Amino acid sequence: MYKAETRGITVTVEPRFVEEESSPGESRYFFAYTVEIVNNGSEQVQLRSRHWRIIDGRGACQEVRGAGVVGKQPVLEPGQSFSYTSGCPLTTPDGLMAGSYTMATMGGESFEAEIPAFSLDSPHVRRVVH
C-alpha cells in the first residue's frame, strides 16, 4: 500500500495486476488500483478534479486530467472516507502512477492533495541484473 497526506487528507492506494484483462503477447497489461481518501482534517472538503501522471516501463509519460473520480465529486465531512477502484492499461509490463486531487473547502479555498507515487508491476517484467 502507498500513502500520502496533505492538509489532513490521507490518500491510500493499493494497485494490482489484472491477468484476465491482460494479453502479454499483444503488449497489453491491465492494472487496477483501489484508492481510499480519508478526511482527517477539521473542515468539510469536496474532491473536484484529478490529475494523473502515468509513466510506462519505457519512461513515456501520459497526463490525465478530469472532473471528479469515477463520475463523482464526493463531499467528505471530517472523519469520512471515500473509496473507489479504477484501472490503467499499459503497453509495458510495468509502470508508475502519481498525481493529485484538487480539493475545495466549503469556504471556497482549493488545494492539491497528493496521490502517492505507486508502481504497477506484473509478473511479466524481465529484470536484468548487471
Side-chain angles (χ1 to χ4, degrees):
M1 257 204 279
Y2 300 82
K3 183 188 268 187
E5 185 167 334
T6 310
R7 285 185 54 173
I9 304 302
T10 302
V11 179
T12 306
V13 183
E14 189 167 357
R16 68 185 181 283
F17 176 65
V18 184
E19 187 79 51
E20 59 273 14
E21 296 287 331
S22 301
S23 182
E26 298 171 15
S27 295
R28 190 172 68 237
Y29 303 88
F30 191 81
F31 299 88
Y33 53 90
T34 299
V35 178
E36 181 182 41
I37 304 161
V38 180
N39 182 358
N40 293 309
S42 59
E43 58 187 333
Q44 181 188 71
V45 295
Q46 181 177 26
L47 190 159
R48 293 287 177 88
S49 62
R50 68 190 183 282
H51 173 216
W52 286 106
R53 287 179 310 285
I54 305 165
I55 303 165
D56 71 15
R58 289 187 280 281
C61 183
Q62 175 185 1
E63 297 207 32
V64 176
R65 297 177 188 270
V69 290
V70 295
K72 298 180 179 168
Q73 292 182 315
V75 173
L76 299 172
E77 298 288 343
Q80 286 187 324
S81 66
F82 177 79
S83 296
Y84 72 95
T85 299
S86 192
C88 175
L90 290 180
T91 58
T92 61
D94 63 339
L96 184 73
M97 287 180 69
S100 62
Y101 296 122
T102 301
M103 308 297 286
T105 67
M106 292 304 109
E109 182 187 358
S110 289
F111 65 94
E112 300 299 311
E114 178 188 358
I115 302 168
F118 57 95
S119 61
L120 303 171
D121 298 304
S122 82
H124 302 279
V125 176
R126 277 188 290 162
R127 302 281 183 215
V128 177
V129 178
H130 296 281

